[in-house]
Amino acid sequence: MRDERGRVAAGLRGVVLAVAGLTLATGCMGQPQTLARPDIVGTWTEGDTGTLLFENDGTVVATNLAEFNGDGDKVSECSGTGKWGAYPDDKQAEKVWTTVCDGNPWEFAGSRAHPKMRRGVGDPDNGDAQTLSRK
């Protein structure tokens, strides 16, 4: 009986550790966020994946923004100027769209203090994403 309880306890510890690990891992990815238009305006960038500069007048400037193929591999970079908008509205946006470079929409995540925006790249079943941080 003691061995059986020991195995059950060890099994439960394993489950608890797995759930804790999963929670920690997904928490590090950031929770979905909503941002108002003034919180979006500014520069968003991350390493070698490029930069998006959102202007208050609705202009967006992309500089060396990474573009990906269907496998999620970086294949080129895009630069240019276009328009941007937030939805569902400017007061409580969950996503932002741009008319420059492919790959809409960008979804907000991270924390209030350190917001991020990300978009899926490659095969959606793989869960790959490009992430930019607010600077």
Side-chain angles (χ1 to χ4, degrees):
M1 181 144 192
R2 181 172 280 218
D3 286 339
E4 187 175 327
R5 275 194 244 158
R7 281 190 296 238
V8 170
L12 287 175
R13 274 193 297 265
V15 169
V16 168
L17 289 173
V19 169
L22 182 60
T23 301
L24 181 61
T26 57
C28 291
M29 295 288 289
Q31 299 301 312
Q33 293 292 328
T34 56
L35 298 177
R37 188 178 192 89
D39 298 322
I40 299 168
V41 171
T43 302
W44 296 74
T45 190
E46 196 69 46
D48 67 345
T49 61
T51 300
L52 287 173
L53 170 61
F54 293 90
E55 301 285 355
N56 196 38
D57 67 358
T59 302
V60 62
V61 178
T63 305
N64 301 325
L65 190 65
E67 295 187 307
F68 299 85
N69 64 16
D71 293 327
D73 299 321
K74 180 179 171 182
V75 293
S76 64
E77 294 177 345
C78 173
S79 295
T81 302
K83 296 289 181 189
W84 72 275
Y87 51 95
D89 61 47
D90 287 344
K91 294 179 183 161
Q92 195 168 3
E94 296 171 358
K95 300 176 184 180
V96 68
W97 55 265
T98 67
T99 61
V100 63
C101 302
D102 293 333
N104 286 299
W106 290 87
E107 297 179 348
F108 298 115
S111 67
R112 288 271 179 220
H114 302 287
K116 298 184 179 295
M117 72 170 54
R118 63 179 168 210
R119 65 179 178 173
V121 298
D123 184 342
D125 291 335
N126 292 339
D128 294 330
Q130 178 182 15
T131 303
L132 301 178
S133 298
R134 176 94 162 73
K135 301 299 174 194

